[in-house]
Amino acid sequence: MKTYIYILASLLFVSNFGNAQKSNLKRANKLFEMRAYGQAAEAYETKDRNQEVLQNLADSYYYTTNLQKAVKTYRELFIQYGDSIDIDYHFRYGQALKGVKNYDEADNQLSRYYNKRINTKEFINSTEKTTPHNFELNQIVNSNSKSDFGLSFIKNNEVAFASARNVESPSYSWNQLPYLDLYKATLNTDNELENINPFSNNINTDSHESNAVFTKDGKTMYFNRTNTTRKKTDEERVAHIKIYKAELVDSVWSNVTALPFTSNAYSTEHPALSKDEKYLYFASDMPGSIGSFDIYKVAINDDGTYGEPENLGSTINTKHREQFPFLSDYNILYFSSIGHEGYGGLDVFRSNMVNGNFDQPVNLGSPINSNLDDFAYVVLEKNNKGFVSSNRSGYDRLYSFKREENPLTKYQVEGVVQDLNSKALLSGALVTLFDESDTVIQDSIVGSDAYYIFKIEPNKKYKVRGTMKAYIPQDVEFSTDSRGKIQHNIYLSLESFADAEERVAETEKGDVQVQLDKIFFDFDESAIREDAAETLNVLVDLMKKYPSMEVEISAHTDARGPDQYNLELSKRRAASTLEYLVSQGIERSRLKSIGYGEMQPLNKCVKEGICTDDEYDINRRSEFKILN
């Protein structure tokens, strides 16, 4: 669709350069500035391949969907001038690579552009599980034309579409095809267009007309038309696009007028009506747009006037192109975008209206979307049938589709994480989904509602695990069966170590500790005595019972003696305790040792000479805090 997307985005008319010399670089640059990219590419191919020539040549091939040559030229450009190339070339190079299905290299370029990891193959695999519908796609038989797109409903089986079939129309310099006109036809049960006839000369002119949309009574039509006047900016002569309105009066389309918010300074295109026909949605590059084209809406007032156009915002619009909006009877917005992550070129997305706003767009997946441009999607929601346009075959073509609910979206496991005894919700708990080989598939830290949900697949075995600091992890295994249970609601009820074990308790500071008898060391020594080993064996048994338990060993002294001496002695004793536990089979990674010296007393005995021996003795201790 690049052929007509860019035509409809900003149609630029080129003066006759036929007598200019091909060796003239200025002529090539002029053609490029005028966006006559086919002629520009021919001119640049005869020039020395410096950075400017390579950039413009690669872009010329990209904009005319000659992607093999675009990839080759971008590659040459990056090899020779990689350090000095603007970041936007990474985007176009990445999109060209997607167009030839070289996804690995495309991801490298797009990861640089977005400054984050892009994995298209992973995205495509994920989309197959999350897109709401599966589609059966069929090309509409339409003879006598190389380029047709933008089919829309009129009434019953009557449709309208744009076509370059009028061979008597002047050829457009972009692609040497005739200018676009609007046609109406009937669509039979074999996906063939019959009774194809152009709209009258009140609608079709010597310029481009496309993308018609009709009110339910069939008496009002909105459509695109390229301006007949051209705005000159510097050396460019630009003919922008306006949305026009026409009325059916005595079976004749009359009263053709441009809408008041259109302009000779920017384009408005691709009109679409809301179900109640109170809003017109469209694409535009008007001032204030986020990207090169954004989706807007404008109120249609009862008196026939229009409100101020409203940009749909950054949830829908990106810094690139969003075009071809369509509002279904379910208030679902369908549109095409090259800015949201996709298969390549323009992809079709859907966004639900929630409380008056559109939510995060979802890619419709294959076969609606391809590595090239897919656009002008319309659907009868109740019938699960519709139409879409695509240039995947090399030219713009019309396709019909049938759809059914994607069963993979039904497979899911969800639940909440709670305390086994108190039933309190455990916000901040980690929930992990494993496959049958114990490989982590997904994980999630639950919020204040302690809720989790994972998408899963049919005919597979899974395990979901809940973990929380100072709690015993819980594993629950389950399987999915395409003929059986596909949705699982699993409450993860975790028991705290403090509830499960008498020797575990929560301190006043909120720490959870293993309460052991006091460990004694010989004076000025850190070696583990026999009686201390018997005490530590209680901890060994506990940690072997709970393989996920992680413990911090801390040693403390009283305030008698030099500060530094006490600190070093406590460190040695904590480390010695850790080594003993390791010698009894506890993994080192589950242990941490630290010596605090006299820095954390449990009472007021913070210096020598102020307490009794018994009071000082309280501070001489080892603690075993559960970390996980």
Side-chain angles (χ1 to χ4, degrees), residues 545-594:
K545 181 178 179 181
Y546 301 110
S548 67
M549 181 184 287
E550 297 178 4
V551 171
E552 178 189 88
I553 305 157
S554 59
H556 304 260
T557 67
D558 60 36
R560 294 174 293 186
D563 294 355
Q564 189 61 36
Y565 173 84
N566 285 337
L567 180 61
E568 295 301 327
L569 178 60
S570 66
K571 288 180 179 180
R572 292 197 303 273
R573 287 178 170 174
S576 179
T577 302
L578 183 150
E579 293 301 329
Y580 176 79
L581 296 174
V582 170
S583 73
Q584 300 303 302
I586 304 301
E587 295 177 6
R588 188 179 299 274
S589 61
R590 298 171 58 195
L591 300 166
K592 176 183 177 182
S593 70
I594 187 168

Short mmCIF file of all heavy atoms in Angstrom, two decimals, residues 545-594:
data_model
loop_
_atom_site.label_atom_id
_atom_site.label_comp_id
_atom_site.label_asym_id
_atom_site.label_seq_id
_atom_site.Cartn_x
_atom_site.Cartn_y
_atom_site.Cartn_z
N LYS A 545 14.50 -29.35 55.17
CA LYS A 545 13.06 -29.56 55.04
C LYS A 545 12.46 -28.56 54.05
O LYS A 545 11.52 -28.89 53.32
CB LYS A 545 12.41 -29.41 56.41
CG LYS A 545 10.90 -29.64 56.41
CD LYS A 545 10.34 -29.52 57.84
CE LYS A 545 8.83 -29.71 57.85
NZ LYS A 545 8.28 -29.57 59.24
N TYR A 546 13.03 -27.34 54.04
CA TYR A 546 12.52 -26.28 53.16
C TYR A 546 13.66 -25.83 52.24
O TYR A 546 14.40 -24.89 52.57
CB TYR A 546 11.99 -25.11 53.98
CG TYR A 546 10.87 -25.48 54.92
CD1 TYR A 546 11.07 -25.48 56.31
CD2 TYR A 546 9.63 -25.83 54.44
CE1 TYR A 546 10.05 -25.82 57.16
CE2 TYR A 546 8.59 -26.17 55.29
CZ TYR A 546 8.81 -26.18 56.66
OH TYR A 546 7.79 -26.52 57.52
N PRO A 547 13.81 -26.47 51.11
CA PRO A 547 14.96 -26.19 50.23
C PRO A 547 15.02 -24.76 49.69
O PRO A 547 16.07 -24.35 49.19
CB PRO A 547 14.76 -27.19 49.08
CG PRO A 547 13.90 -28.27 49.64
CD PRO A 547 13.00 -27.58 50.61
N SER A 548 13.93 -24.04 49.78
CA SER A 548 13.96 -22.66 49.28
C SER A 548 14.37 -21.66 50.36
O SER A 548 14.60 -20.49 50.04
CB SER A 548 12.58 -22.27 48.74
OG SER A 548 11.63 -22.21 49.80
N MET A 549 14.44 -22.09 51.61
CA MET A 549 14.74 -21.17 52.70
C MET A 549 16.16 -20.62 52.58
O MET A 549 17.11 -21.35 52.38
CB MET A 549 14.56 -21.86 54.05
CG MET A 549 14.83 -20.95 55.25
SD MET A 549 14.73 -21.84 56.84
CE MET A 549 12.97 -22.08 56.97
N GLU A 550 16.27 -19.31 52.69
CA GLU A 550 17.57 -18.64 52.72
C GLU A 550 17.71 -17.91 54.04
O GLU A 550 16.75 -17.31 54.53
CB GLU A 550 17.69 -17.66 51.55
CG GLU A 550 17.63 -18.34 50.18
CD GLU A 550 17.70 -17.35 49.04
OE1 GLU A 550 17.87 -16.14 49.31
OE2 GLU A 550 17.59 -17.77 47.88
N VAL A 551 18.92 -17.95 54.61
CA VAL A 551 19.11 -17.46 55.98
C VAL A 551 20.32 -16.54 56.06
O VAL A 551 21.36 -16.82 55.44
CB VAL A 551 19.29 -18.65 56.96
CG1 VAL A 551 19.70 -18.16 58.35
CG2 VAL A 551 18.00 -19.47 57.04
N GLU A 552 20.16 -15.47 56.81
CA GLU A 552 21.28 -14.60 57.16
C GLU A 552 21.74 -14.93 58.57
O GLU A 552 20.94 -14.92 59.51
CB GLU A 552 20.87 -13.13 57.09
CG GLU A 552 22.00 -12.18 57.49
CD GLU A 552 21.54 -10.76 57.64
OE1 GLU A 552 21.10 -10.39 58.77
OE2 GLU A 552 21.61 -10.02 56.65
N ILE A 553 23.03 -15.26 58.73
CA ILE A 553 23.63 -15.56 60.03
C ILE A 553 24.32 -14.30 60.51
O ILE A 553 25.23 -13.79 59.84
CB ILE A 553 24.66 -16.70 59.92
CG1 ILE A 553 24.02 -17.94 59.27
CG2 ILE A 553 25.27 -17.02 61.27
CD1 ILE A 553 25.01 -18.86 58.63
N SER A 554 23.90 -13.81 61.65
CA SER A 554 24.55 -12.61 62.20
C SER A 554 25.07 -12.90 63.60
O SER A 554 24.42 -13.58 64.39
CB SER A 554 23.58 -11.43 62.23
OG SER A 554 22.45 -11.73 63.02
N ALA A 555 26.27 -12.42 63.90
CA ALA A 555 26.89 -12.59 65.22
C ALA A 555 27.03 -11.22 65.88
O ALA A 555 27.37 -10.23 65.22
CB ALA A 555 28.24 -13.26 65.08
N HIS A 556 26.77 -11.20 67.22
CA HIS A 556 26.79 -9.94 67.97
C HIS A 556 27.61 -10.13 69.25
O HIS A 556 27.62 -11.22 69.83
CB HIS A 556 25.37 -9.51 68.35
CG HIS A 556 24.44 -9.39 67.18
ND1 HIS A 556 24.12 -8.19 66.61
CD2 HIS A 556 23.74 -10.34 66.49
CE1 HIS A 556 23.26 -8.40 65.61
NE2 HIS A 556 23.02 -9.71 65.53
N THR A 557 28.26 -9.07 69.66
CA THR A 557 28.99 -9.08 70.93
C THR A 557 28.38 -8.05 71.86
O THR A 557 27.54 -7.24 71.45
CB THR A 557 30.47 -8.75 70.71
OG1 THR A 557 30.58 -7.38 70.29
CG2 THR A 557 31.10 -9.66 69.65
N ASP A 558 28.88 -8.06 73.12
CA ASP A 558 28.45 -6.98 74.01
C ASP A 558 29.42 -5.82 73.87
O ASP A 558 30.33 -5.84 73.04
CB ASP A 558 28.34 -7.48 75.45
CG ASP A 558 29.66 -8.00 75.99
OD1 ASP A 558 30.71 -7.43 75.65
OD2 ASP A 558 29.63 -9.00 76.75
N ALA A 559 29.23 -4.77 74.68
CA ALA A 559 29.98 -3.53 74.52
C ALA A 559 31.32 -3.55 75.22
O ALA A 559 32.07 -2.56 75.16
CB ALA A 559 29.14 -2.35 75.04
N ARG A 560 31.65 -4.65 75.87
CA ARG A 560 32.93 -4.70 76.58
C ARG A 560 34.05 -5.06 75.61
O ARG A 560 33.93 -5.99 74.83
CB ARG A 560 32.85 -5.72 77.71
CG ARG A 560 31.87 -5.30 78.81
CD ARG A 560 31.68 -6.36 79.87
NE ARG A 560 31.01 -7.56 79.33
CZ ARG A 560 30.62 -8.58 80.09
NH1 ARG A 560 30.86 -8.56 81.40
NH2 ARG A 560 30.01 -9.60 79.54
N GLY A 561 35.14 -4.32 75.68
CA GLY A 561 36.27 -4.54 74.80
C GLY A 561 36.29 -3.53 73.66
O GLY A 561 35.32 -2.81 73.42
N PRO A 562 37.40 -3.47 72.93
CA PRO A 562 37.54 -2.50 71.83
C PRO A 562 36.49 -2.75 70.73
O PRO A 562 36.19 -3.89 70.39
CB PRO A 562 38.96 -2.75 71.31
CG PRO A 562 39.68 -3.42 72.43
CD PRO A 562 38.66 -4.24 73.14
N ASP A 563 35.98 -1.66 70.16
CA ASP A 563 34.94 -1.76 69.12
C ASP A 563 35.40 -2.59 67.93
O ASP A 563 34.69 -3.50 67.47
CB ASP A 563 34.56 -0.37 68.62
CG ASP A 563 33.89 0.47 69.70
OD1 ASP A 563 33.66 -0.07 70.80
OD2 ASP A 563 33.61 1.67 69.45
N GLN A 564 36.58 -2.26 67.39
CA GLN A 564 37.06 -2.93 66.19
C GLN A 564 37.32 -4.40 66.46
O GLN A 564 37.03 -5.25 65.61
CB GLN A 564 38.33 -2.25 65.66
CG GLN A 564 38.77 -2.75 64.28
CD GLN A 564 37.73 -2.49 63.19
OE1 GLN A 564 37.04 -1.46 63.21
NE2 GLN A 564 37.60 -3.44 62.26
N TYR A 565 37.85 -4.68 67.61
CA TYR A 565 38.12 -6.08 67.98
C TYR A 565 36.81 -6.87 68.01
O TYR A 565 36.70 -7.97 67.46
CB TYR A 565 38.80 -6.13 69.35
CG TYR A 565 38.95 -7.54 69.88
CD1 TYR A 565 40.01 -8.34 69.50
CD2 TYR A 565 37.98 -8.06 70.75
CE1 TYR A 565 40.13 -9.64 69.98
CE2 TYR A 565 38.10 -9.36 71.24
CZ TYR A 565 39.17 -10.15 70.85
OH TYR A 565 39.29 -11.43 71.32
N ASN A 566 35.78 -6.31 68.62
CA ASN A 566 34.49 -6.99 68.71
C ASN A 566 33.88 -7.21 67.32
O ASN A 566 33.26 -8.24 67.04
CB ASN A 566 33.52 -6.17 69.57
CG ASN A 566 33.86 -6.27 71.06
OD1 ASN A 566 34.49 -7.23 71.49
ND2 ASN A 566 33.44 -5.28 71.83
N LEU A 567 34.05 -6.21 66.44
CA LEU A 567 33.50 -6.33 65.10
C LEU A 567 34.16 -7.48 64.34
O LEU A 567 33.49 -8.30 63.71
CB LEU A 567 33.68 -5.01 64.34
CG LEU A 567 33.16 -4.98 62.89
CD1 LEU A 567 31.65 -5.23 62.87
CD2 LEU A 567 33.49 -3.63 62.23
N GLU A 568 35.48 -7.53 64.38
CA GLU A 568 36.19 -8.58 63.65
C GLU A 568 35.88 -9.96 64.22
O GLU A 568 35.73 -10.94 63.48
CB GLU A 568 37.70 -8.31 63.69
CG GLU A 568 38.12 -7.04 62.96
CD GLU A 568 37.75 -7.06 61.50
OE1 GLU A 568 37.76 -8.16 60.89
OE2 GLU A 568 37.42 -5.98 60.96
N LEU A 569 35.79 -10.05 65.55
CA LEU A 569 35.48 -11.34 66.18
C LEU A 569 34.08 -11.82 65.77
O LEU A 569 33.88 -13.00 65.46
CB LEU A 569 35.55 -11.20 67.71
CG LEU A 569 35.21 -12.47 68.51
CD1 LEU A 569 36.16 -13.61 68.16
CD2 LEU A 569 35.22 -12.18 70.01
N SER A 570 33.11 -10.90 65.70
CA SER A 570 31.74 -11.30 65.32
C SER A 570 31.70 -11.75 63.86
O SER A 570 30.97 -12.69 63.51
CB SER A 570 30.77 -10.15 65.56
OG SER A 570 31.03 -9.06 64.70
N LYS A 571 32.49 -11.11 63.01
CA LYS A 571 32.54 -11.52 61.61
C LYS A 571 33.08 -12.93 61.48
O LYS A 571 32.56 -13.74 60.70
CB LYS A 571 33.38 -10.54 60.79
CG LYS A 571 32.75 -9.18 60.55
CD LYS A 571 33.68 -8.29 59.72
CE LYS A 571 33.04 -6.94 59.46
NZ LYS A 571 33.94 -6.07 58.65
N ARG A 572 34.16 -13.22 62.24
CA ARG A 572 34.76 -14.56 62.16
C ARG A 572 33.79 -15.62 62.66
O ARG A 572 33.67 -16.71 62.08
CB ARG A 572 36.06 -14.61 62.97
CG ARG A 572 37.18 -13.77 62.39
CD ARG A 572 38.53 -14.17 62.98
NE ARG A 572 38.56 -14.09 64.43
CZ ARG A 572 38.88 -12.98 65.11
NH1 ARG A 572 39.17 -11.85 64.45
NH2 ARG A 572 38.91 -12.99 66.42
N ARG A 573 33.07 -15.31 63.74
CA ARG A 573 32.13 -16.28 64.30
C ARG A 573 30.95 -16.53 63.35
O ARG A 573 30.50 -17.66 63.19
CB ARG A 573 31.64 -15.81 65.66
CG ARG A 573 32.72 -15.93 66.73
CD ARG A 573 32.28 -15.42 68.08
NE ARG A 573 33.25 -15.77 69.11
CZ ARG A 573 33.20 -15.35 70.38
NH1 ARG A 573 32.18 -14.57 70.77
NH2 ARG A 573 34.13 -15.71 71.25
N ALA A 574 30.44 -15.47 62.70
CA ALA A 574 29.36 -15.65 61.74
C ALA A 574 29.82 -16.48 60.55
O ALA A 574 29.12 -17.38 60.07
CB ALA A 574 28.84 -14.29 61.28
N ALA A 575 31.04 -16.18 60.06
CA ALA A 575 31.57 -16.93 58.93
C ALA A 575 31.81 -18.38 59.29
O ALA A 575 31.57 -19.29 58.49
CB ALA A 575 32.86 -16.28 58.44
N SER A 576 32.28 -18.63 60.50
CA SER A 576 32.52 -20.00 60.95
C SER A 576 31.21 -20.77 61.03
O SER A 576 31.14 -21.96 60.66
CB SER A 576 33.21 -19.98 62.31
OG SER A 576 33.44 -21.30 62.78
N THR A 577 30.15 -20.10 61.49
CA THR A 577 28.85 -20.74 61.56
C THR A 577 28.36 -21.12 60.17
O THR A 577 27.83 -22.21 59.93
CB THR A 577 27.84 -19.79 62.24
OG1 THR A 577 28.32 -19.46 63.55
CG2 THR A 577 26.47 -20.44 62.35
N LEU A 578 28.55 -20.20 59.21
CA LEU A 578 28.15 -20.48 57.83
C LEU A 578 28.90 -21.69 57.30
O LEU A 578 28.31 -22.57 56.66
CB LEU A 578 28.42 -19.24 56.96
CG LEU A 578 27.98 -19.31 55.49
CD1 LEU A 578 27.61 -17.92 54.98
CD2 LEU A 578 29.09 -19.88 54.59
N GLU A 579 30.20 -21.75 57.52
CA GLU A 579 30.99 -22.87 57.00
C GLU A 579 30.53 -24.20 57.60
O GLU A 579 30.54 -25.23 56.91
CB GLU A 579 32.47 -22.64 57.29
CG GLU A 579 33.08 -21.47 56.52
CD GLU A 579 32.96 -21.63 55.01
OE1 GLU A 579 32.97 -22.78 54.52
OE2 GLU A 579 32.82 -20.61 54.32
N TYR A 580 30.11 -24.17 58.85
CA TYR A 580 29.63 -25.40 59.45
C TYR A 580 28.35 -25.86 58.74
O TYR A 580 28.20 -27.05 58.42
CB TYR A 580 29.34 -25.22 60.95
CG TYR A 580 28.76 -26.49 61.54
CD1 TYR A 580 29.57 -27.58 61.87
CD2 TYR A 580 27.38 -26.63 61.72
CE1 TYR A 580 29.02 -28.76 62.37
CE2 TYR A 580 26.82 -27.79 62.20
CZ TYR A 580 27.65 -28.86 62.53
OH TYR A 580 27.11 -30.05 63.00
N LEU A 581 27.44 -24.95 58.49
CA LEU A 581 26.20 -25.32 57.80
C LEU A 581 26.48 -25.87 56.40
O LEU A 581 25.86 -26.83 55.96
CB LEU A 581 25.27 -24.11 57.72
CG LEU A 581 24.77 -23.56 59.07
CD1 LEU A 581 23.97 -22.27 58.83
CD2 LEU A 581 23.93 -24.57 59.80
N VAL A 582 27.45 -25.26 55.71
CA VAL A 582 27.83 -25.76 54.38
C VAL A 582 28.38 -27.17 54.49
O VAL A 582 28.09 -28.04 53.66
CB VAL A 582 28.84 -24.80 53.72
CG1 VAL A 582 29.42 -25.43 52.45
CG2 VAL A 582 28.18 -23.46 53.39
N SER A 583 29.17 -27.40 55.54
CA SER A 583 29.76 -28.74 55.71
C SER A 583 28.69 -29.80 55.97
O SER A 583 28.94 -30.99 55.75
CB SER A 583 30.75 -28.73 56.88
OG SER A 583 30.08 -28.65 58.14
N GLN A 584 27.52 -29.38 56.38
CA GLN A 584 26.42 -30.31 56.63
C GLN A 584 25.47 -30.44 55.44
O GLN A 584 24.39 -31.03 55.57
CB GLN A 584 25.65 -29.87 57.88
CG GLN A 584 26.50 -29.81 59.14
CD GLN A 584 27.16 -31.15 59.44
OE1 GLN A 584 26.49 -32.18 59.59
NE2 GLN A 584 28.49 -31.15 59.52
N GLY A 585 25.88 -29.89 54.31
CA GLY A 585 25.11 -30.10 53.09
C GLY A 585 24.20 -28.96 52.68
O GLY A 585 23.41 -29.11 51.74
N ILE A 586 24.29 -27.80 53.33
CA ILE A 586 23.47 -26.66 52.95
C ILE A 586 24.22 -25.85 51.88
O ILE A 586 25.39 -25.53 52.05
CB ILE A 586 23.15 -25.76 54.17
CG1 ILE A 586 22.48 -26.57 55.27
CG2 ILE A 586 22.28 -24.58 53.74
CD1 ILE A 586 21.19 -27.24 54.85
N GLU A 587 23.54 -25.53 50.78
CA GLU A 587 24.19 -24.81 49.68
C GLU A 587 24.62 -23.42 50.15
O GLU A 587 23.87 -22.70 50.81
CB GLU A 587 23.24 -24.68 48.50
CG GLU A 587 22.87 -26.01 47.86
CD GLU A 587 21.87 -25.83 46.74
OE1 GLU A 587 21.56 -24.67 46.39
OE2 GLU A 587 21.40 -26.85 46.21
N ARG A 588 25.84 -23.06 49.78
CA ARG A 588 26.39 -21.77 50.18
C ARG A 588 25.54 -20.60 49.69
O ARG A 588 25.43 -19.57 50.37
CB ARG A 588 27.83 -21.66 49.65
CG ARG A 588 28.60 -20.44 50.17
CD ARG A 588 30.02 -20.42 49.60
NE ARG A 588 30.76 -21.61 49.98
CZ ARG A 588 31.43 -21.74 51.13
NH1 ARG A 588 31.45 -20.72 51.98
NH2 ARG A 588 32.08 -22.84 51.40
N SER A 589 24.93 -20.77 48.51
CA SER A 589 24.13 -19.69 47.93
C SER A 589 22.90 -19.36 48.77
O SER A 589 22.29 -18.30 48.60
CB SER A 589 23.69 -20.05 46.51
OG SER A 589 22.89 -21.23 46.52
N ARG A 590 22.53 -20.26 49.70
CA ARG A 590 21.36 -20.03 50.53
C ARG A 590 21.71 -19.34 51.85
O ARG A 590 20.83 -19.08 52.67
CB ARG A 590 20.66 -21.36 50.84
CG ARG A 590 20.14 -22.08 49.60
CD ARG A 590 19.67 -23.47 49.94
NE ARG A 590 18.62 -23.46 50.96
CZ ARG A 590 18.23 -24.54 51.64
NH1 ARG A 590 18.82 -25.72 51.41
NH2 ARG A 590 17.27 -24.44 52.55
N LEU A 591 22.97 -19.02 52.03
CA LEU A 591 23.44 -18.49 53.30
C LEU A 591 24.17 -17.17 53.12
O LEU A 591 24.81 -16.93 52.09
CB LEU A 591 24.39 -19.48 53.98
CG LEU A 591 23.79 -20.86 54.31
CD1 LEU A 591 24.90 -21.83 54.65
CD2 LEU A 591 22.79 -20.75 55.45
N LYS A 592 24.08 -16.33 54.14
CA LYS A 592 24.80 -15.08 54.17
C LYS A 592 25.26 -14.86 55.61
O LYS A 592 24.49 -15.11 56.56
CB LYS A 592 23.88 -13.94 53.73
CG LYS A 592 24.51 -12.55 53.81
CD LYS A 592 23.49 -11.48 53.42
CE LYS A 592 24.09 -10.09 53.56
NZ LYS A 592 23.09 -9.03 53.22
N SER A 593 26.51 -14.43 55.79
CA SER A 593 27.01 -14.19 57.16
C SER A 593 27.41 -12.73 57.29
O SER A 593 27.90 -12.11 56.35
CB SER A 593 28.21 -15.09 57.46
OG SER A 593 29.34 -14.70 56.71
N ILE A 594 27.19 -12.20 58.49
CA ILE A 594 27.55 -10.82 58.77
C ILE A 594 27.83 -10.68 60.26
O ILE A 594 27.17 -11.29 61.10
CB ILE A 594 26.43 -9.86 58.31
CG1 ILE A 594 26.88 -8.40 58.45
CG2 ILE A 594 25.13 -10.11 59.07
CD1 ILE A 594 25.94 -7.42 57.76
#
